[in-house]
Each structure stands twice: as C-alpha cells, then as structure tokens.
Amino acid sequence: MLKLLGAKPLSGKDTAHVLRVLDADPVASCMIAARVQDSGLDPRSFHGEMWSRGGPDESLCFYGANLVPLLGSVDDLRSFADRACRGPRMCSSLVGRAELTLPLWDMLEPDWGAPRELRSEQPLLATSTYSVFPPDPLVRLVHADELDVYLSAAVAMFIEEVGVDPQANDGGRGYRRRIASLIAAGRAWARFEDGEVIYKAEVGSQSASVGQIQGVWVHPLYRGQGLGSAGTATVVDSVVRSGRIASLYVNSFNWPARRAYSRIGLEQVATFTTVLLD
C-alpha cells in the first residue's frame, strides 16, 4: 500500500533499519550515514527528511540542504521527484551515485529549471590502507586560534571549486560556523608557511566506518610541487589510523588531482554526480 501512495518521510523508529541499509554501501552513503548516526531521524535535529517508498530496503532518499538519492528503482526516483516538487525547493544541489542522481535530475529539471552546473562524472575514491606516497610532516591539525587565516583559504577554495562565495548570503556567519566546528572536531588540516595556508583539507563527513575528505586545496603559488599528494596522504593516513576507510570524490576533468590521488593509492569504487542549482 505504501508504494501506491508514493514516497513518505521516515521517522525515528526507522533509524536502526536505515543505518543497516546505509551500512551496505558505506563509502557512497557516508555523508548521510554520519548524519543519521549523530542525530537519528528526528526532524528537529536531523535537519532534513529521509524518504522511502516501500521501506528502507527498497528505496531511500535524503532531502535537506542537499538532495541525495541513496537507493531505488526508476519508479522510486519518480516518487522522490514528485515529492520534491510539491513545495518550495529546499536544496541547493543534488549529489550521489551517478546511476541514481542523473535520472532523478532528468525528472526534476522540467520543474526546477536548468542547473548552474552539472558535474555528471565524479570518481568516488577510497582506500583502507595507508598511503603509498610519503605524507607531508608539516601538514597538521588546525588550531582554534588559526580560524581566520584558515577560513580565508577555505573561502578561496570554495569560490574556485563551486563558483560562488560561501559568505554571500549571511555575511559568512554560517560558513564560518561550519569551518570552526570542523576545526574544533579535529577534522581540519593545513600546512602553513609564513602565516599563510598553502595546503588545506577537511574530513567533511565522518561516519563510524568512513571519513570523507573534502576541500582539498593548494595555494596557486605552490602548485606543481607535490604538496597536494603529500598533504592528502597525511590526511588519508589519519583517517585510516582511526580505523576508517578514507574516501573523497573528484571531478573527472581535474587530472592533476586525479593523478595526485592515484599516487596516494586511492582507487575508484563508484561514480558520483553533482548538480549545482541557482
């Protein structure tokens, strides 16, 4: 009967069931699994909804700041699209496995309009072993009193990668809080030279089994010197040392980054798609 009625939000009583399903695809589901592990499915703390059509074993989709399809058939994706179009759009992007995200976007585009950017092929990389590339001993955890200088590098990275200023909407308060929370959690890494960040990365999402690295950036004046490989090797080794799989995803056209990650020993386990919306 539930299938006939379309996608429905799940509730706190479904948390354990959802976690079991996400655990079957731990690398691709890391962003959402980390959120469910931290907050359960209570909408007051989850900051979004988890949808299903027929139960978590058959279909799953997260809807919040991002729209993330996690499991389902074409009919399930159509039910997610129908539900997403019922009210004002909440999300700023779609992201997830390409085989789910691309068809979901095809269903949404007639209502939501053309995307700002479609990144259809993003290799999802992972490793459970220490890097085969020598790590950079000068890359370390960022201290709380280094927030301002680290934030400047994070903003530069975001603008270069996403094409928008993360400080535009609220004067940067939300983005500053996000970066400060990662620093406080021991999940922001950098190499400093003369009081300036020349390499940075964060473990943006961390589930019980996976640490997803994001925001990898090398200062333009220091590129081509191997700092990206060595710095990311340091972060990968830290994630692996914690007993987790180290993961990240990269644009298919970013060949310097792909070569750097290959040198480290990260291997492709899936393909992501990201749809950036205005």
Side-chain angles (χ1 to χ4, degrees), residues 125 127 131-134 199 216-218 224-234 236 248 250-251 254-267:
L125 312 176
T127 182
S131 173
V132 297
F133 192 91
Y199 169 87
V216 177
W217 180 83
V218 177
Q225 302 177 29
L227 293 178
S229 296
T232 306
T234 300
V236 164
L248 56 80
V250 59
N251 292 316
N254 189 347
W255 286 107
R258 293 183 67 176
R259 285 192 292 268
Y261 301 146
S262 178
R263 286 194 290 267
I264 291 167
L266 289 156
E267 298 183 347

Side-chain angles (χ1 to χ4, degrees), residues 19 31 46 84 148 171 211 235:
L19 286 172
M31 289 182 288
F46 188 52
D148 287 335
V235 183

Side-chain angles (χ1 to χ4, degrees), residues 65 147 151 154-155 158 165-183 202 214:
L147 170 60
L151 182 64
V155 170
F158 197 97
D165 187 342
Q167 305 173 109
N169 291 333
D170 62 353
R173 291 185 297 276
Y175 192 64
R176 184 184 180 89
R177 283 195 301 271
R178 168 64 175 161
I179 296 300
S181 69
L182 289 171
I183 292 173
E202 301 106 33
Q214 66 173 31

